[in-house]
Amino acid sequence: MENSQDIDPSVLAELPKGCRVTSVESHGISFWANTNRVDVELADGTSLSFFIKVLTGETGKNMVHGEYESMKAIYAVSPDFAPKPIACGTFINTPDTHFFLCEYREMTNEMPDPYRFAARLAALHQGSVSPTGRFGFHVTTYGGNLPRTNGWEDSWEVFFRKNMRWALDCEIAAKGYDAEFDELVPVLFDKVIPRLLRPLETEGRSVKPSLVHGDLWYANSGIDLETNKSLVFDACCFYAHNEYEFGQWRPVCNRFGPEYLAAYHSYVPISAPEEDYDGRLDLYKL
């Protein structure tokens, strides 16, 4: 979309009744989508802006649906931690084109205060309740263009194993088979995963299924210029062990460093057994 004439009727139907689109401008960066800010003038003359992400194809349709449901879930628990999602849908004029629409929030890309950010993330994890009491999500969500197998499971170990297997299968399909997998994969599934995850759910211990953002690297967060508070976006949620969120923080390219983990655990203790914590995060990094 490059101008107001490009707004599809399906999007117009989701904008405030009686408003007039005044401009459409490219906004933000996405590896997979076209992203724009849509400015409108309301019937009373007030100006308002929206953010729209546009993708094509069947995968694009599923991606915008997963993002919409993810952002809805975050907003329902922590409405001050995410832009309000408005709709997702399919263009009427070009039926192979799909969109995600939310309120527009002007943000900086500065790193947030660790304790302020951690307090909001902890509130999301602790305040969320799985609708089934299980691990998973009610729709498929996407990390980038990689779908997650979100079918509900009672056990965190079982859920994680299933998703790890799926991710490896996708990797092999995309990049080809490597004989090294014959040695590494059995060790991962038969030894590493049971050793690090099974203790979370044995000897009287249990894991609360917490709503996680699912792709929380620094570029999927920002600071609202109006409120000076942290926001997150571009989520691919599911109900998981809360510490799963921090595997994404392990690679050195991420700017959520150790100070953010320390801040988070000032609100939420490390899961028992605590001595497995570093190993679990390295596993989640995969």
Side-chain angles (χ1 to χ4, degrees):
M1 295 186 301
E2 296 178 355
N3 55 61
S4 57
Q5 284 71 44
D6 292 331
I7 297 287
D8 190 85
S10 60
V11 179
L12 287 173
E14 303 293 347
L15 297 175
K17 188 175 180 180
C19 76
R20 180 176 66 89
V21 176
T22 57
S23 69
V24 180
E25 296 181 7
S26 178
H27 180 81
I29 298 171
S30 171
F31 295 117
W32 319 107
N34 291 319
T35 52
N36 297 271
R37 188 186 74 211
V38 179
D39 298 324
V40 306
E41 184 181 277
L42 304 182
D44 64 1
T46 306
S47 297
L48 197 61
S49 296
F50 299 86
F51 174 81
I52 188 168
K53 178 183 287 189
V54 179
L55 296 94
T56 58
E58 188 66 21
T59 297
K61 180 180 181 179
N62 295 333
M63 287 169 70
V64 297
H65 184 218
E67 181 171 355
Y68 175 65
E69 293 295 331
S70 294
M71 296 306 295
K72 264 205 326 184
I74 292 176
Y75 191 82
V77 179
S78 301
D80 59 349
F81 197 31
K84 182 180 180 179
I86 295 170
C88 68
T90 297
F91 282 11
I92 292 172
N93 293 336
T94 49
D96 197 38
T97 304
H98 316 282
F99 70 93
F100 164 72
L101 182 72
C102 69
E103 67 174 345
Y104 176 81
R105 305 281 284 271
E106 187 70 37
M107 288 179 262
T108 73
N109 58 6
E110 296 175 7
M111 292 302 291
D113 173 82
Y115 283 89
R116 285 185 175 183
F117 183 82
R120 294 191 146 203
L121 185 59
L124 174 66
H125 290 167
Q126 293 189 303
S128 57
V129 178
S130 168
T132 66
R134 306 165 83 191
F135 301 97
F137 204 58
H138 62 287
V139 300
T140 299
T141 53
Y142 285 72
N145 65 347
L146 177 68
R148 190 189 309 281
T149 53
N150 279 336
W152 299 104
E153 297 289 350
D154 292 315
S155 163
W156 170 241
E157 180 190 343
V158 171
F159 182 89
F160 181 86
R161 173 191 293 271
K162 183 177 68 174
N163 269 278
M164 190 74 249
R165 180 72 263 179
W166 169 253
L168 280 170
D169 288 346
C170 289
E171 183 80 1
I172 291 169
K175 298 184 179 178
Y177 170 78
D178 190 311
E180 206 171 6
F181 280 133
D182 290 339
E183 296 181 24
L184 297 178
V185 171
V187 172
L188 175 64
F189 285 91
D190 298 340
K191 295 184 178 181
V192 176
I193 291 177
R195 167 60 189 85
L196 290 173
L197 300 189
R198 195 162 299 170
L200 291 167
E201 300 175 298
T202 54
E203 298 181 14
R205 293 182 286 262
S206 62
V207 178
K208 172 191 180 294
S210 297
L211 185 69
V212 297
H213 177 285
D215 189 19
L216 191 54
W217 64 306
Y218 70 90
N220 285 342
S221 70
I223 298 176
D224 190 307
L225 278 177
E226 185 176 332
T227 66
N228 202 34
K229 294 180 178 179
S230 298
L231 295 170
V232 295
F233 49 91
D234 205 11
C236 54
C237 289
F238 65 106
Y239 291 89
H241 180 209
N242 64 306
E243 292 174 3
Y244 175 89
E245 199 87 273
F246 309 126
Q248 184 80 341
W249 297 8
R250 278 306 222 212
V252 293
C253 61
N254 205 327
R255 292 160 62 186
F256 286 123
E259 68 274 22
Y260 287 88
L261 277 175
Y264 179 89
H265 289 303
S266 72
Y267 301 108
V268 181
I270 293 172
S271 299
E274 293 84 351
E275 61 268 24
D276 292 344
Y277 176 73
D278 284 330
R280 289 194 299 262
L281 264 57
D282 280 338
L283 177 62
Y284 295 160
K285 181 175 70 173
L286 292 179

